[in-house]
Amino acid sequence: RPSLGLEDIPLITNGLWENFDQTDEDDEDDEEEANDVYVANPKYIDIEIDCLKLIHRSIKYGGRQAMEKIAQAPTVNLLVKYLGFADSYKKEAASCLNAILVDPLNFTTPATYHENRTYHRQIDMVIDAGAVPLFVKMLDSRSDSIAKVAVLSLACMICHETKAVGKVVNAGGI
């Protein structure tokens, strides 16, 4: 179970965004980012990865309350931004997004109409944040675990959201 409460998700998200803001001012090396070796702030890599792991645990065990907190904070956009970084970040961010896509509400009984609508909104959040082209790019990853998470995430989006099919096709994922 997560050691932090669900109320801490926005704090973690905001802290990671602040780190991006400081890093973006200091380092504008787009070529490095394009080569998937970008690190938001090398000084804090372990802390950032631990924060991503906490977000993942919150998604996995927090159910509907965790998803409400994630929807209120710009957490999905943050996770999508991490998909373009070094493999250590990418793996954690992709795992978080996959947890949102696969079983975000931890259904133990058949889903109600409201739960299905909520699930589709969550998938839309991931798609609208720009995750599809980044997941497609991850299919060619040197790391099998990263490629596997990308395949599973794309499959979830395609199976549950019609608009995802066109986005995957346009990104070259088929």
Side-chain angles (χ1 to χ4, degrees):
R1 299 262 173 205
S3 59
L4 296 175
L6 296 176
E7 65 277 356
D8 296 319
I9 292 173
L11 295 172
I12 293 170
T13 300
N14 291 336
L16 290 171
W17 271 117
E18 284 179 23
N19 191 39
F20 277 127
D21 292 342
Q22 292 171 4
T23 305
D24 289 344
E25 292 170 9
D26 298 339
D27 185 13
E28 291 289 333
D29 191 354
D30 292 333
E31 182 180 330
E32 207 176 318
E33 188 172 341
N35 290 327
D36 289 336
V37 295
Y38 186 69
V39 175
N41 190 333
K43 198 164 62 172
Y44 301 119
I45 187 169
D46 292 335
I47 294 170
E48 289 177 299
I49 291 173
D50 286 344
C51 287
L52 290 172
K53 287 178 182 180
L54 283 170
I55 291 171
H56 185 207
R57 285 187 199 118
S58 295
I59 293 167
K60 190 172 180 178
Y61 297 115
R64 173 166 293 144
Q65 293 88 4
M67 291 313 305
E68 288 171 3
K69 292 289 183 184
I70 286 168
Q72 292 167 4
T75 308
V76 171
N77 291 333
L78 173 79
L79 295 170
V80 169
K81 187 167 183 170
Y82 273 118
L83 292 180
F85 283 26
D87 283 355
S88 53
Y89 289 109
K90 188 180 295 186
K91 183 177 178 185
E92 291 303 325
S95 295
C96 289
L97 291 167
N98 186 262
I100 291 170
L101 294 167
V102 172
D103 191 15
L105 298 175
N106 299 323
F107 295 142
T108 54
T109 59
T112 65
Y113 173 76
H114 177 71
E115 289 170 332
N116 277 328
R117 280 190 49 213
T118 302
Y119 179 54
H120 285 281
R121 269 196 312 269
Q122 289 168 207
I123 293 173
D124 285 342
M125 282 189 329
V126 174
I127 293 169
D128 294 344
V132 172
L134 293 168
F135 276 129
V136 168
K137 186 176 178 185
M138 290 167 52
L139 294 174
D140 293 330
S141 175
R142 297 176 305 274
S143 168
D144 287 343
S145 62
I146 290 174
K148 181 180 176 182
V149 172
V151 167
L152 293 172
S153 298
L154 289 168
C156 251
M157 286 186 267
I158 289 170
C159 289
H160 296 288
E161 193 59 57
T162 314
K163 75 178 184 179
V165 176
K167 291 193 179 277
V168 173
V169 169
N170 290 340
I174 300 300

